[in-house]
């Protein structure tokens, strides 16, 4: 099997990672991006150890570590101080025993610089892909009234990808009833810079504070405030002030950090549950959120996209037969872990984002005590660290 040219739809983290892996092995890669320039969106996230390994293989981890914050654990409590979940990465085996709190821009910029430095990668900014026609030998891509032919098309354009819906008839996409408001704050001095902090009240109030950036002698942190989608959709200046008041009442330690923020400092986000039972067809494949997306409860999105990119390039480079056979092996490598992440996210989301008080009662009375048992504690920790059903990455 010989591939010479590849199209990638979407210049996000998964798309850029795929492009770098493939271009380094001699492929000509064209990246289509509907934005006019590199434009990462989002405040920050917790990058798990396997994602760090992939970034190291891409040659960008060292530059990311200059700004990212090592996270040693997760601490989730009710506003009354009841411990729902406490996990410590240092109980993992292996050399990487921490997560990384990191801004999306930090990873995206590092990947973009690496991609832009490779002669084999070409960017088409401001190009919206309208059609992708796939046959046994080619994928024909139409964007901005121009049509080009490739030997493989990788769709990495996110959970809202209409193109993926068109190409994969069995793809399921369901909107969650709850979203969130993101912002970036100075980490309150009373909070540890090595922990992801969460606070919950019943199941309808949830807030997270994650250190994501070293800033002189202090830290910047991503703040996550859970809200209903109906409230996210109409975010305006007056509502922003109301949200600020709600946040400071809910978590007084954050009051001084939130007070200086204005309307433009807040980002509204909604989420979808996406699943594509067979995310490839002849000469086209979907990766990342275009293939599978969940709520952010498990914090797995970026790591899963990086693993998709790694294993896709691995199977394409190892293949000596037809592309669809290589894509099938890639999906067998990824499918089990992705199914697990999706189903667990669907189970956990209403325990933290729901109007039904019974979910919170079940969470506090059943799930939390079970999580302290040795077997369940280990499973929760491996789940957080993306190590359940994970095939070893070459290091």
């Amino acid at each position: 099997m010989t591939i010479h040219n590849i199209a990638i739809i979407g210049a996000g983290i998964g798309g850029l990672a795929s492009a770098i892996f493939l271009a380094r092995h001699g492929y000509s890669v064209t990246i289509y991006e509907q934005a006019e320039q590199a434009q990462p969106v989002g405040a920050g996230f917790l990058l798990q150890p396997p994602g760090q390994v992939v970034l190291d293989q891409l040659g960008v981890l060292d530059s990311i570590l200059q700004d990212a914050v090592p996270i040693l654990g997760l601490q989730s409590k009710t506003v009354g101080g009841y411990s729902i979940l406490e996990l410590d990465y240092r109980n993992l085996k292996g050399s990487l025993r921490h997560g990384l709190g990191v801004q999306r821009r930090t990873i995206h910029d590092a990947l973009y610089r690496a991609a832009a430095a490779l002669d084999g990668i070409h960017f088409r900014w401001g190009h919206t892909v309208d059609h992708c026609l796939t046959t046994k030998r080619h994928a024909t891509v139409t964007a901005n009234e121009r049509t080009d032919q490739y030997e493989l098309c990788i769709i990495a354009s996110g959970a809202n990808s209409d193109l993926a819906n068109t190409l994969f008839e069995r793809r399921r996409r369901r909107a969650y009833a709850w979203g969130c408001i993101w912002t970036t704050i100075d980490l309150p001095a009373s909070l540890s810079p090595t922990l992801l902090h969460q606070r919950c009240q019943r199941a309808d109030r949830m807030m997270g504070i994650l250190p994501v950036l070293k800033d002189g002698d202090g830290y910047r942190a991503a703040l996550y405030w859970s809200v209903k989608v109906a409230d996210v959709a109409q975010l305006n200046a007056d509502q922003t002030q109301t949200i600020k008041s709600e946040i400071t009442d809910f978590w007084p330690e954050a009051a001084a950090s939130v007070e200086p923020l204005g309307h433009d400092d807040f980002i509204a986000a909604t989420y979808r549950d996406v699943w594509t039972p067979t995310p490839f067809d002849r000469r086209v494949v979907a990766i990342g959120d275009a293939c599978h997306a969940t709520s952010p409860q498990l914090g797995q999105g970026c790591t899963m996209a990086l693993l998709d990119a790694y294993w896709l390039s691995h199977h394409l480079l190892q293949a000596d037969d037809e592309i669809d056979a290589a894509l099938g092996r890639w999906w067998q490598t990824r499918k089990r872990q992705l199914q697990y992440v999706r189903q667990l996210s669907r189970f956990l989301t209403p325990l933290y984002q729901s109007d039904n008080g019974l979910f919170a009662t079940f969470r506090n009375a059943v799930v939390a005590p079970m999580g302290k048992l040795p077997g369940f504690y280990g499973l929760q920790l491996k789940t957080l660290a993306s190590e359940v059903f994970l095939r070893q990455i070459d290091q």
Side-chain angles (χ1 to χ4, degrees):
M1 179 191 72
T2 301
I3 307 175
H4 298 96
N5 62 339
I6 295 175
I8 296 179
I9 316 303
I13 289 172
L16 290 171
S18 297
I20 296 168
F21 276 131
L22 294 167
R24 283 181 178 170
H25 287 84
Y27 297 121
S28 175
V29 180
T30 301
I31 300 178
Y32 291 82
E33 171 55 51
Q34 63 181 359
E36 296 292 338
Q37 58 185 357
Q39 194 175 3
V41 177
F45 48 77
L46 183 58
L47 181 70
Q48 305 303 339
Q52 298 171 48
V53 174
V54 175
L55 291 175
D56 191 32
Q57 294 234 339
L58 289 164
V60 300
L61 182 61
D62 286 345
S63 66
I64 290 168
L65 289 174
Q66 294 177 21
D67 294 323
V69 183
I71 301 298
L72 301 181
L74 178 153
Q75 187 181 81
S76 181
K77 296 182 178 182
T78 67
V79 291
Y82 176 74
S83 177
I84 300 172
L85 184 63
E86 292 195 36
L87 297 175
D88 190 331
Y89 282 98
R90 291 169 293 186
N91 291 320
L92 292 169
K93 296 179 180 179
S95 57
L96 275 178
R97 300 167 63 208
H98 61 79
L100 275 183
V102 61
Q103 290 184 314
R104 182 174 295 274
R105 177 175 293 279
T106 300
I107 292 183
H108 188 276
D109 287 354
L111 289 172
Y112 175 65
R113 288 193 300 269
L118 294 173
D119 292 336
I121 298 178
H122 315 281
F123 290 90
R124 291 189 180 171
W125 301 105
H127 279 63
T128 299
V129 176
D130 302 309
H131 302 286
C132 179
L133 176 65
T134 181
T135 68
K136 289 192 68 174
R137 295 297 173 192
H138 298 101
T140 303
V141 174
T142 301
N144 293 25
E145 300 182 353
R146 171 176 170 173
T147 298
D148 292 280
Q149 199 170 76
Y150 301 91
E151 287 156 290
L152 178 65
C153 178
I154 300 171
I155 300 176
S157 46
N160 295 324
S161 175
D162 291 327
L163 183 63
N165 263 9
T166 301
L167 289 168
F168 305 108
E169 293 182 358
R170 296 175 62 201
R171 182 178 189 256
R172 298 190 290 273
R173 184 170 66 174
R174 179 179 64 85
Y176 278 101
W178 291 71
C180 76
I181 302 296
W182 284 99
T183 191
T184 304
I185 63 171
D186 291 330
L187 180 69
S190 59
L191 298 183
S192 169
T194 65
L195 294 176
L196 164 58
H197 307 267
Q198 292 181 346
R199 294 290 183 274
C200 302
Q201 185 177 38
R202 300 183 300 276
D204 60 351
R205 284 286 186 271
M206 178 182 177
M207 181 171 156
I209 297 178
L210 171 67
V212 293
L213 179 67
K214 301 169 187 174
D215 186 24
D217 294 331
Y219 295 87
R220 298 282 286 168
L223 184 152
Y224 168 106
W225 178 245
S226 178
V227 295
K228 290 183 178 179
V229 169
D231 297 326
V232 172
Q234 300 297 324
L235 184 66
N236 56 40
D238 289 339
Q239 289 172 316
T240 299
Q241 188 57 48
T242 300
I243 288 171
K244 286 174 59 176
S245 298
E246 291 175 350
I247 289 172
T248 55
D249 289 343
F250 184 78
W251 203 333
E253 289 172 290
S257 298
V258 171
E259 181 54 37
L261 302 179
H263 173 65
D264 293 339
D265 294 313
F266 290 85
I267 302 170
T270 58
Y271 301 96
R272 292 178 181 270
D273 174 69
V274 175
W275 183 250
T276 313
T278 306
F280 61 93
D281 179 21
R282 294 172 289 189
R283 296 290 176 128
V284 64
V285 59
I287 68 170
D289 283 353
C291 168
H292 51 83
T294 69
S295 80
Q297 290 296 336
L298 290 178
Q300 300 290 315
C302 180
T303 298
M304 293 300 106
L306 288 168
L307 288 170
D308 283 354
Y310 171 85
W311 285 112
L312 178 60
S313 64
H314 172 85
H315 285 289
L316 289 174
L317 296 171
Q318 296 294 319
D320 56 6
D321 50 8
E322 292 297 323
I323 288 181
D324 55 356
L327 298 180
R329 288 191 291 273
W330 164 77
W331 186 230
Q332 287 303 311
T333 301
R334 298 294 299 129
K335 184 177 180 179
R336 194 178 181 197
Q337 184 184 35
L338 294 171
Q339 285 178 321
Y340 174 79
V341 169
R342 176 177 181 249
Q343 293 301 333
L344 190 57
S345 294
R346 287 164 62 93
F347 168 74
L348 289 175
T349 296
L351 303 185
Y352 293 88
Q353 291 181 306
S354 170
D355 285 320
N356 190 332
L358 292 177
F359 284 119
T361 300
F362 175 74
R363 178 194 68 205
N364 296 344
V366 179
V367 178
M370 285 182 61
K372 295 178 174 63
L373 299 175
F376 283 100
Y377 175 87
L379 179 60
Q380 288 179 128
L381 182 57
K382 288 183 178 180
T383 298
L384 173 67
S386 303
E387 291 191 356
V388 177
F389 304 131
L390 174 68
R391 284 184 57 180
Q392 186 64 37
I393 301 173
D394 296 331
Q395 298 188 46

